[in-house]
Structure formats: C-alpha cells, structure tokens
Amino acid sequence: MPLPGIQLAVIDKDGNELKGNSVEGNLCVKFPWQSMLRTTYGDHERCRQTYFSSFEGYYFTGDGVKRDEDGYYRILGRVDDVINVSGHRMGTAEVENAINEHPKVVESAVVGYPHDIKGQGIYAYVICDMEGRSEDNLIQEIRETVNKIIGPIAKPDKVQIVPGLPKTRSGKIMRRILRKIASADTGNMGDTSTLLNPEVVNQIMEGAK
C-alpha cells in the first residue's frame, strides 16, 4: 500500500491517470517534491527529461505497475527494458507479468540473449512451487501461458526453473548477471559478494541449459 504522504498514480501511455483497482500502467508519484531527486551529476537536462517530463506533473519511476483488485501495487519492472525478437520490440516486464499469471509461479525474471535466427531470444528464469509437478510439464505450461496472454512471438525460447534470483540487498534483481548466464558469457561475472544471496549465482549457472 502507498506510504503515508506519498501519493502514487498509475498512468497509461497517453498520460491519463487510471483510477480504481485492477489496472496496469506506469508507476508515477503525484506532487513530486524537490528533494526527492535533485539532479543527475553532469547532466541536469537528462534528469529532467527522464523523470519529470514523461508525464507532466508527475515523477516517473521508470517502472511498470499493476494495482490489483485489493488496491495493492505490484512492481512489474523497468518499462524501458526491451527485447527485440525478430523485429518485434517487447518489454521484459510484459513477459514476466504473463509468466507470473501461472498459479505455480512465485517470481520470474526475463532477459534477452543472442539468437542466430531471431536476433534476440527470450530467456526466462522462474521460481516455482514444484509440489506435485514435473519440471518439463511446468515449463511447457509456462510457455503456453505466455502464448495465451501475449502471443506466440513472446513465448520464451528457454525457461529455467531456479531456486532463487540474484538480488541486491535492496531487493533489485541483478539482470546483468542473468544476461551473462543466458549468453553463456560467464568468464567474468564481476563482484557478486555484495549480493543478498551470492550462492544462487552458481546454482543458476549449474542449471543453465
């Protein structure tokens, strides 16, 4: 739920605020105050354009959001994180949201990886409730769920069931690491010791297909 004194808004692509529950759009903050973000070092105009001009009168967080039927907000991910599949540009948040509609999915993260035919393929890392289910059947169901909600172009080329996702201590998914694993570029993963759960990186690498 919104914090006291902070008024959140769900804004559609045309800049209209979506009222009520069960809506999805861009996460913004009403009545932004000066100290919430002063500037971007060395590029004040970029700061203004990125956060304060996308939707007039609002601070744009850069995230997509879904407000459910109970009024709770669910962050869907960066709206500018896109994958180009056979010339079709789609947001990773859109694909993740479709994957998360499967009742056995707990959390997911989608990244692009080099594909010989499509240019970029879709690689999905998914945390699932595996009770009473086989991995192969669940993966097929997840792909079909995306096909039903978005269409065949968005069906993940690869789905990996994982025990967890690499996150910072603030809860942000480290997609840089997931992209490297998806691209089989694991020679230099960088410093992972600052992650909340660094051990999960090796677990994902061992299970990568």
Side-chain angles (χ1 to χ4, degrees):
M1 295 295 287
L3 297 174
I6 298 178
Q7 298 187 42
L8 301 181
V10 182
I11 308 296
D12 68 13
K13 59 183 179 62
D14 297 318
N16 303 307
E17 181 177 353
L18 302 177
K19 302 290 187 178
N21 296 335
S22 299
V23 294
E24 184 176 325
N26 300 286
L27 178 60
C28 295
V29 178
K30 292 183 179 181
F31 313 114
W33 55 98
Q34 291 180 335
S35 61
M36 69 185 301
L37 180 65
R38 294 186 177 183
T39 190
T40 300
Y41 180 74
D43 197 345
H44 183 72
E45 180 60 19
R46 179 183 176 186
C47 176
R48 189 189 69 80
Q49 289 286 344
T50 301
Y51 299 106
F52 296 99
S53 68
S54 297
F55 304 104
E56 187 176 356
Y58 297 91
Y59 166 77
F60 177 38
T61 65
D63 292 313
V65 69
K66 181 177 183 179
R67 187 164 59 222
D68 66 18
E69 61 274 12
D70 297 317
Y72 288 91
Y73 290 78
R74 179 175 182 174
I75 307 298
L76 303 177
R78 301 292 299 177
V79 298
D80 57 357
D81 193 355
V82 298
I83 304 174
N84 195 330
V85 181
S86 299
H88 297 270
R89 290 171 60 84
M90 64 188 73
T92 57
E94 180 183 10
V95 181
E96 289 168 1
N97 191 37
I99 291 173
N100 294 342
E101 289 297 318
H102 190 287
K104 286 290 186 177
V105 171
V106 177
E107 188 177 11
S108 66
V110 167
V111 297
Y113 73 99
H115 193 284
D116 292 338
I117 299 173
K118 300 179 180 180
Q120 276 190 303
I122 299 175
Y123 198 120
Y125 299 87
V126 189
I127 303 172
C128 293
D129 173 10
M130 299 299 297
E131 184 177 357
R133 307 302 295 273
S134 71
E135 185 171 305
D136 289 342
N137 288 340
L138 193 52
I139 287 174
Q140 183 60 30
E141 288 179 13
I142 289 170
R143 297 183 78 241
E144 288 304 319
T145 298
V146 176
N147 179 46
K148 181 179 179 181
I149 295 175
I150 303 178
I153 191 66
K155 288 172 65 173
D157 299 276
K158 297 181 180 181
V159 177
Q160 182 180 348
I161 306 297
V162 295
L165 297 169
K167 295 183 178 181
T168 64
R169 299 189 186 281
S170 63
K172 179 183 178 181
I173 297 174
M174 289 296 291
R175 296 175 188 273
R176 170 184 60 82
I177 292 175
L178 297 179
R179 290 191 190 97
K180 280 184 167 289
I181 297 174
S183 303
D185 178 21
T186 57
N188 181 15
M189 299 297 290
D191 183 13
T192 61
S193 63
T194 57
L195 293 175
L196 178 64
N197 50 350
E199 71 285 348
V200 81
V201 175
N202 287 332
Q203 294 172 343
I204 294 176
M205 289 173 60
E206 290 171 2
K209 300 178 180 179

